[in-house]
Amino acid sequence: LETAWEPERLDQPRLRPMDASEADLRKADLFLATNHPKEAETIYQKLARGDFGIPAVESGLGELALAAGRFDQARLHLERAIA
């Protein structure tokens, strides 16, 4: 009889728990994707203050600035994201 699950035969990496900043980043990305910019911006700003150096945070802030017509600010954030 074959079993459906044999952990020693898995070829995929095991999942690891997320830390708080990763979870916050995912929440901000979801808020941005579901058209809740104020909630997204609050979380992105908190992450940006924490000196995490996460390009996705700068990218999210750039997208928000672009959507609000703050083009200079958008450019600054997007340049930081790719630096």
Side-chain angles (χ1 to χ4, degrees):
L1 182 64
E2 268 188 57
T3 60
W5 184 71
E6 295 180 33
E8 64 276 357
R9 298 186 71 197
L10 291 177
D11 296 325
Q12 299 171 347
R14 300 206 183 264
L15 297 177
R16 64 173 178 73
M18 267 189 245
D19 65 22
S21 62
E22 288 175 299
D24 283 345
L25 179 58
R26 297 251 178 131
K27 283 192 289 187
D29 290 344
L30 287 170
F31 279 131
L32 182 61
T34 57
N35 200 28
H36 293 90
K38 289 181 183 179
E39 293 87 345
E41 187 164 19
T42 298
I43 297 170
Y44 285 135
Q45 290 290 351
K46 178 183 114 177
L47 290 169
R49 283 191 302 271
D51 191 36
F52 295 106
I54 303 171
V57 171
E58 293 295 339
S59 177
L61 288 169
E63 286 185 53
L64 287 167
L66 190 60
R70 300 185 314 255
F71 302 114
D72 290 340
Q73 215 174 15
R75 181 182 177 123
L76 176 68
H77 288 296
L78 295 172
E79 285 177 347
R80 287 180 187 164
I82 61 172

